Structure formats: structure tokens, C-alpha cells
Amino acid sequence: MKLDAKALRYMSTEDFRVLTAIEIGSRNHDIVPATLISQLSHLRSGGINKFITDLIKRKLIASESSSKYVGYKLVYAGYDYLALKTLSKRGSVASVGNQIGVGKESDIFVIAGDNDEQAVLKLHRLGRLSFRNVKNKRDYFRPDQSPSWMYMSRLSAMKEYAFMQVLHEHGFPVPKPIDQNRHCIVMELLDAHPLRQIEKVGEPGKLYSELMDLIVRLAKHGLIHGDFNEFNILVRDDGSPILIDFPQMVSTSHANAEFYFNRDVDCIRTFFKRRFGYESVLYPKFALDANKEFDLDVQVAASGFTKKEQSQLEAFMESEQTEASNAAPHSHDEEDEDLPSDEEIVYADDSEEDERDMDGLGEDDASDSDDSDDDYDIEYDRLGNTIRRKRTC
Ligand code: ADP
Ligand code: MG
């Protein structure tokens, strides 16, 4: 997806107020009626049409009709715009340069901040996998730019940033986190290449043990990466590894911790054998709490990323994995039962909060309340990852 940084320069205050009003209105409306946009933007209803038309032309919003009325919704480009605007106000992003990566569900750009230092902007784009595979699903999976995708992308960015902060503070080899807003993260630009692109290393045994040590060190701190593979490990010229991409991390207290731990270990063993012809009889085995020294999982959980948000994100990601591995359309929607309904994923109706957000340029927070799901016994690991057990009676 293109990121039109130039659009930033040509936006009037009114355009911006209308765009922000649509974002806020989307919390409790699938499509936001013009009257509400007028109310939230404090602009006369007669005057807003011009701004709406302009925003549609610039592909920052789209119009859509329901059975009752015509309304407007934000599309990803508009969401990108709002995030960039906030990040640029804070000085974290002054200009956007080349795209350096297209991840499974992200776009990665080199940017420069107010200090002229280069950094990386990662825009989370959840839903990309499902866009490919899903047709004819119910509303929640509509293969267009529904705000639900944006909400999930925001949760994913918040989670990744929380992990990056805690890991960085504790001296793990991860990028330095710089800023986060909506679905975006700003982090240090690493002078390193993905392990996947590296054909030869001087001492595969050394890198292998550094990576296994990293898996063990994470576990001693209460964490499992969950996607520890050649795509998410970057290697510097001096051969040292750096870990990226954290939205799927789980706590060692998770019911399936041993499975995730072993999968991370196996990924490295398999890759080293295939790519470098390197095999070792030594590899770590999962030992719950045996040598646990820190509770980083608890620290991340305390970072403000709520259990409800965690559980929504997780249900969404699980469903996406299912979709990705089943390219053929399903005959029924059974696996969707775990997903949050549209009511659950929109924000609480709170006009006071709306007011505050207009001033704060849409700094938002989802309301938190406990999940209840009659069909499941729900437990959480220390990070808030959900362990669902279907009730049998
Ligand atoms: P995804 O979640 O979509 O897999 P990643 O965070 O793994 O996204 O990033 C995708 C790619 O972008 C990486 O494989 C790497 O090439 C590049 N990349 C990501 N973060 C950085 C960074 N901080 N510095 C340099 N390159 C990066
Ligand atoms: Mg990745």
C-alpha cells in the first residue's frame, strides 16, 4: 500500500477536523452520517460537504450507503494520515523516505525525525491475509477497508510497542522503540539484514548458539517470541543477531508455552541445517519456571495493553491464520464464534471522550471491561493471552 506523505502538506485545518470527526464517529457507527461529522468537527453542516468531497477525491475517506442513510468511513490512507500527523506533531516523523519492507501484514518505511536521524516506520496492516482469501464472509470479514481492520492494526501496534519497550529496557537485542500512534510504530533503523537473505556466515555454530541463548534468556524472563524465524532475525555485519516483530509473543505461563517454545527452537534448527548444513545435538528444552529470573511478562501486561484488547487481537490473529491456511472459502462460520462482534470492537459511546480527542487529535483508548463468553472457560496467561476451553456441558 502506498503511503502518500505529501498529502500531509496539503491539508487544511478543516479537512483535518472532518477526518478526525469521521475517525471518532467510527467508534459507534459503521458509516458516519454527515450530521454527526458536523457536530464532532464543530463545522457548519452546510460547509462540510466541500471538505468531504475533497477527502473522498484524495482517497482518505469513502462514502457508503446503508439502508437508512449515506455516510462516510475512514480508509487506511486516512488512518495513515492521522497517525503521521500525530507523529509529526511530536517530532518523531518529519519526512518519509523509501519503503524497505513489505511484511506479511505491515509496510515498513525509512523516515527521518525532527533531529534528522533516520528511523523506521512500521504500519501494521492486519487484514491483508484475509483480503486475499476471504470472499462472501459476514460483515466482520468484509474484504474492504472496514474500521475493524484499523482497530485490530492499532492493537497490534500497541502490543508490539509495549514489548519492544520492555525488551529494550532489559538489554535484549531489539530495535530501540521511538514512538507509537494508532497502527504505527517508529523505531531505530537497524543496519542489518534478515537472516533469510544471508547465504553464508563465518561461524554458523556461534550464531546458532547466540540464537538459542536468546530463546533461553527470553524464557528466563518469562517470554516466548512465538515467531522466532529467519524473517524476524536480523544480522549485523559483525554477525550479531537482533530480534524484531513481537505481536505474537506469549508468556511462559501460557498453557501452550512448551509448544511455542519448541516451535521457535525447531525453526532455528531446521533453518541452520537447510541453509548452512549445520546441525548440533545441543538445543534448549522448555523447563517451566525452572530458572525463571524475571517477570517481564508481568511488566508487559502492566503496560496498559488490556486483557480485553489482548483477547480481541488474539482471536483476530487466530482467525487470520486459519484463513491463510484455508484458501478455499468455508462452508460455515463456526470458527468465527470466538471473534468479537462489531459491537465489541467499536469504542464505547462517550461524548466526553470525543471532546477530549478532538483537542488531543484523536489520541484514543478503548474502554476496558471483562470478557464474557458463555460457551467457554476463559483463563489468561500472565500477559493476558487467552486460553479458551470450550465447555462440554
Ligand atoms: P511483519 O510483522 O510484517 O513480518 P517485520 O517487523 O517482521 O514485519 O518487518 C518486515 C521486514 O522489514 C523485516 O524482515 C526487515 O527486513 C524490515 N525491518 C523491520 N524493522 C526494521 C528495522 N528496525 N530496521 C531495519 N529493517 C527493518
Ligand atoms: Mg516479520
Side-chain angles (χ1 to χ4, degrees):
M1 186 170 296
K2 260 183 73 197
L3 179 69
D4 187 5
K6 281 197 216 87
L8 273 177
R9 284 184 225 135
Y10 308 117
M11 187 78 98
S12 70
T13 316
E14 287 83 4
D15 283 336
F16 178 66
R17 292 195 81 82
V18 169
L19 198 59
T20 309
I22 294 173
E23 182 187 36
I24 295 167
S26 303
R27 293 174 187 183
N28 38 37
H29 291 78
D30 267 351
I31 50 177
V32 188
T35 44
L36 184 60
I37 299 174
S38 160
Q39 232 175 320
L40 291 169
S41 62
H42 302 295
L43 293 168
R44 273 185 309 107
S45 57
I48 58 168
N49 282 343
K50 175 179 154 321
F51 304 118
I52 288 176
T53 312
D54 189 40
L55 292 170
I56 292 176
K57 230 187 268 165
R58 294 157 74 175
K59 299 193 170 63
L60 298 176
I61 60 169
S63 74
E64 202 176 287
S65 344
S66 72
S67 52
K68 293 182 199 130
Y69 61 89
V70 178
Y72 305 92
K73 62 180 189 180
L74 209 55
V75 297
Y76 256 128
Y79 202 45
D80 292 352
Y81 173 83
L82 288 169
L84 278 175
K85 174 95 177 169
T86 304
L87 293 169
S88 80
K89 269 185 81 166
R90 293 183 190 157
S92 330
V93 178
S95 62
V96 179
N98 292 336
Q99 180 157 10
I100 54 166
V102 182
K104 270 197 312 248
E105 294 191 278
S106 72
D107 287 317
I108 317 264
F109 292 84
V110 174
I111 55 114
D114 274 359
N115 55 5
D116 276 346
E117 247 172 60
Q118 288 199 320
V120 160
L121 172 72
K122 174 171 178 179
L123 298 103
H124 286 241
R125 305 246 190 249
L126 260 62
R128 194 175 260 174
L129 295 176
S130 302
F131 291 147
R132 278 191 217 130
N133 299 326
V134 184
K135 301 204 172 73
N136 306 329
K137 296 288 263 183
R138 63 180 203 202
D139 266 9
Y140 186 79
F141 286 110
R142 217 166 32 203
D144 62 10
Q145 302 198 342
S146 149
S148 317
W149 306 114
M150 294 174 209
Y151 178 71
M152 290 302 161
S153 297
R154 172 175 162 269
L155 294 189
S156 176
M158 284 168 68
K159 181 174 179 186
E160 176 152 43
Y161 194 70
F163 274 104
M164 211 183 281
Q165 278 184 310
V166 168
L167 291 171
H168 188 260
E169 273 163 24
H170 285 80
F172 280 87
V174 299
K176 181 172 181 257
I178 298 173
D179 204 354
Q180 187 262 321
N181 183 257
R182 295 181 174 82
H183 59 318
C184 296
I185 287 179
V186 183
M187 62 179 133
E188 170 191 5
L189 170 66
L190 298 164
D191 187 11
H193 299 282
L195 180 57
R196 161 127 190 109
Q197 290 172 7
I198 296 176
E199 293 300 333
K200 255 194 185 159
V201 284
E203 295 173 80
K206 182 166 174 281
L207 182 57
Y208 174 91
S209 19
E210 275 178 28
L211 292 173
M212 291 305 184
D213 286 351
L214 189 51
I215 292 178
V216 171
R217 198 172 140 215
L218 281 169
K220 282 188 177 176
H221 284 71
L223 295 171
I224 299 168
H225 186 276
D227 203 9
F228 198 94
N229 60 36
E230 64 272 26
F231 298 93
N232 293 328
I233 294 160
L234 306 189
V235 183
R236 293 190 204 268
D237 284 347
D238 68 4
S240 57
I242 309 159
L243 194 54
I244 59 167
D245 205 2
F246 314 108
Q248 65 298 308
M249 281 187 99
V250 295
S251 162
T252 47
S253 70
H254 192 281
N256 300 328
E258 184 160 5
F259 167 81
Y260 291 124
F261 181 93
N262 290 338
R263 195 174 63 182
D264 280 358
V265 170
D266 285 345
C267 267
I268 297 304
R269 295 181 70 203
T270 310
F271 180 79
F272 270 70
K273 189 171 161 195
R274 218 181 46 224
R275 175 66 57 92
F276 307 122
Y278 179 87
E279 267 184 282
S280 169
V281 287
L282 299 175
Y283 59 91
K285 317 226 170 32
F286 184 74
L288 180 63
D289 281 350
N291 290 309
K292 195 165 160 192
E293 289 157 13
F294 298 96
D295 277 329
L296 287 198
D297 50 345
V298 176
Q299 282 190 38
V300 176
S303 70
F305 189 69
T306 66
K307 273 186 187 173
K308 177 168 180 167
E309 289 167 336
Q310 169 70 39
S311 145
Q312 289 177 338
L313 178 63
E314 205 179 296
F316 183 85
M317 285 178 146
E318 268 169 30
S319 78
E320 283 219 310
Q321 271 163 18
T322 315
E323 296 300 343
S325 54
N326 291 321
H330 297 286
S331 53
H332 59 84
D333 279 346
E334 207 171 65
E335 74 278 15
D336 295 353
E337 280 170 19
D338 271 3
L339 288 165
S341 69
D342 281 347
E343 285 76 52
E344 282 174 278
I345 64 170
V346 295
Y347 296 81
D349 183 4
D350 184 338
S351 49
E352 257 179 48
E353 192 182 282
D354 289 349
E355 287 295 330
R356 192 198 69 205
D357 280 351
M358 273 317 266
D359 297 331
L361 299 179
E363 289 284 336
D364 38 28
D365 257 308
S367 67
D368 184 24
S369 65
D370 279 334
D371 267 314
S372 70
D373 184 333
D374 292 344
D375 297 331
Y376 290 87
D377 283 323
I378 295 181
E379 294 162 27
Y380 298 99
D381 72 7
R382 274 190 289 258
L383 277 174
N385 286 297
T386 323
I387 302 150
R388 281 188 187 71
R389 296 201 176 83
K390 188 133 189 164
R391 279 204 195 112
T392 44
C393 54

